[in-house]
Amino acid sequence: MTATSDVHLPEPFTGTGTIKSPATDSVVGEVRWTDPADVPRMVAGLRSAQQEWAARGPKSRAKVLARYAVWLGEHREEIESLLIKETGKSAVDAAQEVPLIIMVISYYIKTMEKALAPESRPASLPFLAIKKITVHYRPRPVVGVIAPWNYPVANLLMDTVGALAAGCSVLLKPSERTPLTAELLLRGWIDSGAPDVMAIVQGGRAAVEAVVDNSDYIQFTGSSATGAKVMERAARRLTPVSLELGGKDPMLVLDDADIELAAHAAVWGAMFNAGQTCVSVERVYVLAAVYDQFVAAVVRDVEKLSMGAGDGHDFGAMIDESQLAVTERHVADALAKGATAATGGRRAPGPGSFYLPTVLVDVDHSMACMTEETFGPTLPIMKVASVDEAIRLANDSPYGLSAAVFSADVARAEAVAVQLDCGAVNINDVISNLMCTTAPMGGWKTSGMGARFGGAEGLRKFCRQEAVVAPRTAVGAGGNYYNNSPKALKRMNTLMTKLALIGPKRAAR
């Protein structure tokens, strides 16, 4: 759930800063920026606390996470009120975040003991059966989580709770646009009786660099450009990274699709959170036979939308003027090159960073709205002659996060899905893969590397694997040490070759 830009205010962040609402420009609160020179000390504290946290074991950690989930549920109204002020979201958009995190925690507390348990591995060859092979998953001491502004709860905690479940300490770096929600979430961790294995670094670029330079693993969510810089810096210490980056998600509407369902999904998928979602519907390819019907249904739905912060609105403000300017540029570029705005096409009148929900038709790949991540409330729709053309155009992108395919024939849609170059495909739905905690959530190409969660791997990624090879018997121990006589060497080579070829010979038959 990526934000297109990550560090936007001038350096350095010193002293305190004022956070204002993008919807009203009113003051939300004050934040104290972290001195990057203090980060090594903070990390030292986290490393010390992590040892006891890891030693507790999965069952004990699960109880702490369960108490935190209860705190989140009990303080949901307070959390959502604050994030609405910081982001200008509508209440319905804000309402999605806390339940998602509670769902992720619920999944982890049920599965973490089994996922993190030592795992026995079989011997690859018969003569190695005398060895017992066990893989242990040992937590990395400190995980740095660098999160964007578009989902101040979900993007910050989605990875944090997995790292905590694995037995790591976590150093959080929230967006400098939404620091206050992060402070509230840290207070909840402390209030729920948890140990000091979570800390926050507030600031901009220098804060990011300090987190990267002092952590043992980095989970970054943000733009592709910034993700590359984070990876480059992490490489200085060979620190492993997981990156969830930008997207330009396509939606394909086949000629047998339920057009009403597809239209509803496209509008919600494009306008949810004012389009500021990495897996939002950013471009639609519709087969010619149903194109006019689809466009009419989309325009009808968009014209019913209510825009504003807080209660009673479908979606809210954009995070700031710089993000709104990207949307304005993409729409202006499309209109200049022959596209038509069937609805919207301009910023909303009045105060705040609001942009009217916009449907663009007569678009093509010469336009930025079809090739660059917009991250705004726009829905460009392109007519295509065939399914093959839709697939080709969908794949004609440097991004590969997720996609959607709509068809009455699920098998047909699945056949299309596996031809799309992306990390996840939703059939007859949009964004729903984010709810599937057993499946990986990651991108291809410049949309990232690794996955945020997904089954046992969502916990194990925060661990270092250690293989322990122990003897099952003392028979034969040391029998091949320096036994290098010509006769013994010939016997050993003959035996090793025969044993190694058993499997390949069987497979080749």
Side-chain angles (χ1 to χ4, degrees), residues 40-41 225 269 272:
R41 175 187 53 79
F272 176 69

Side-chain angles (χ1 to χ4, degrees), residues 10-36:
E11 296 281 3
F13 289 87
T14 58
T16 60
T18 300
I19 306 302
K20 293 185 177 182
S21 168
T24 63
D25 202 36
S26 60
V27 174
V28 179
E30 299 288 323
V31 60
R32 178 170 295 279
W33 304 120
T34 304
D35 184 344

